[in-house]
Amino acid sequence: MPTYSDYGIVLNSSAYSEADKIFGIYTRENALVRAIGKGARRTTGRFGGKLDQLSCSQFHFAKGKNLDVISECEQINSFPLLKKDLHRLTNGILFLEIVSNFAHEQESESTLVYDLLYDGLNGLQHIENIDLFVIEFVLNFLSIHGFRPQFENCVSCSQEINKNEYEEMKGYLYSSVLGGLLCHKCSQFIYCKQIGVEVLDILCNKKSSGDNSVLKYRGYLRQTQELLMEHLNVRGKNKIKTFEIVASL
Ligand SMILES: [Zn+2]
């Protein structure tokens, strides 16, 4: 049986048989791998906690007809600080769900997605402003996939957005379906919603998670996250469910 090795992060798992589980693993070179972990449903199984959701390992896979089989794995990072803080842990699971919702086998951008996910989970263990960090993660993820929202020109007619005009009105017109700002003319016949100047500042990365002057923006972080989740929901395989839990904490 041919074999291969790769670094991977466990996104999710489901029961396969009485003793075995199927794992969804995002790997650095092979993107999404769905593989069987034999004996993984037994608490005394040889994998221990190494196949828990969020765990990062070097995996050794045996190629199967339909599904590959995990033959060995050596854990690299279990992100232990995430598990000590419910808010951080839930956001970590949100990262996994976002990656899972766009993941396919053999994506050309797998290295970028894997590195972003690894750095995201690692950073989430210590970062002070979690909400802003989540926004940066989602924007970087969307950039990798070519889905970053468009803010410079009208997403419908490409006319440049006159920011002075909008700043006087204290808001912009945004279409989630088209993924960006609309000019006044296009907003008359395309469904859109008004977003505050502060939300656009956050989305345009005028604030970074290392910036101490984030107080002004604190009230707008949730609104910005909601807008990004809608953006992901329109483009991904499924609706992001974990965000509701994040928002309720
Ligand atoms: Zn337009």
Side-chain angles (χ1 to χ4, degrees):
M1 212 185 259
T3 61
Y4 64 101
S5 301
D6 204 345
Y7 294 101
I9 296 169
V10 178
L11 299 176
N12 47 46
S13 66
S14 54
Y16 181 64
S17 65
E18 203 175 310
D20 308 338
K21 274 185 176 181
I22 296 181
F23 293 87
I25 301 165
Y26 199 88
T27 65
R28 199 161 190 271
E29 306 297 331
N30 296 276
L32 180 66
V33 170
R34 283 172 46 77
I36 300 171
K38 293 203 167 158
R41 291 192 74 188
R42 294 195 190 102
T43 46
T44 53
R46 66 193 170 101
F47 293 115
K50 290 188 282 187
L51 292 177
D52 288 349
Q53 191 180 32
L54 282 168
S55 177
C56 174
S57 296
Q58 186 177 21
F59 287 92
H60 305 278
F61 298 103
K63 276 244 174 243
K65 235 184 196 174
N66 299 314
L67 287 165
D68 297 347
V69 177
I70 302 167
S71 43
E72 286 293 335
C73 78
E74 292 133 38
Q75 194 171 54
I76 294 163
N77 199 339
S78 63
F79 308 106
L81 297 181
L82 291 185
K83 289 162 194 169
K84 291 184 176 169
D85 180 324
L86 186 62
H87 192 202
R88 291 178 198 276
L89 176 64
T90 315
N91 277 292
I93 293 168
L94 177 70
F95 287 3
L96 299 184
E97 191 183 357
I98 291 170
V99 168
S100 172
N101 248 350
F102 286 79
H104 293 282
E105 290 164 17
Q106 306 295 342
E107 294 172 321
S108 54
E109 62 271 26
S110 68
T111 309
L112 295 173
V113 174
Y114 174 89
D115 289 350
L116 179 76
L117 181 58
Y118 185 91
D119 292 343
L121 296 173
N122 213 16
L124 201 51
Q125 296 193 101
H126 309 279
I127 197 79
E128 207 174 303
N129 193 322
I130 298 173
D131 289 337
L132 203 49
F133 189 73
V134 170
I135 290 167
E136 287 172 1
F137 174 87
V138 175
L139 284 170
N140 288 330
F141 180 77
L142 289 167
S143 290
I144 293 171
H145 287 279
F147 290 142
R148 198 179 172 102
Q150 188 179 314
F151 305 119
E152 297 303 316
N153 297 79
C154 169
V155 76
S156 169
C157 73
S158 301
Q159 187 194 301
E160 197 183 330
I161 298 290
N162 182 344
K163 298 229 162 103
N164 294 333
E165 186 189 329
Y166 282 87
E167 273 175 25
E168 274 171 32
M169 289 169 52
K170 300 197 183 321
Y172 292 86
L173 302 159
Y174 183 87
S175 161
S176 283
V177 172
L178 295 181
L181 296 182
L182 291 174
C183 69
H184 282 292
K185 204 171 137 206
C186 294
S187 73
Q188 287 165 16
F189 56 89
I190 296 170
Y191 176 76
C192 59
K193 59 174 159 192
Q194 193 150 350
I195 62 167
V197 174
E198 294 83 358
V199 171
L200 196 72
D201 278 352
I202 297 168
L203 287 169
C204 289
N205 257 340
K206 286 195 183 160
K207 295 281 114 207
S208 74
S209 46
D211 197 325
N212 288 326
S213 65
V214 291
L215 277 176
K216 177 189 163 197
Y217 292 89
R218 189 166 281 169
Y220 298 95
L221 294 174
R222 185 51 46 82
Q223 208 183 322
T224 309
Q225 288 182 344
E226 281 169 3
L227 185 127
L228 287 173
M229 292 306 139
E230 219 175 291
H231 192 89
L232 288 165
N233 286 341
V234 170
R235 289 156 184 85
K237 291 184 243 176
N238 301 299
K239 186 172 179 265
I240 306 282
K241 295 191 193 96
T242 314
F243 183 66
E244 280 176 33
I245 305 169
V246 169
S248 71
L249 290 176

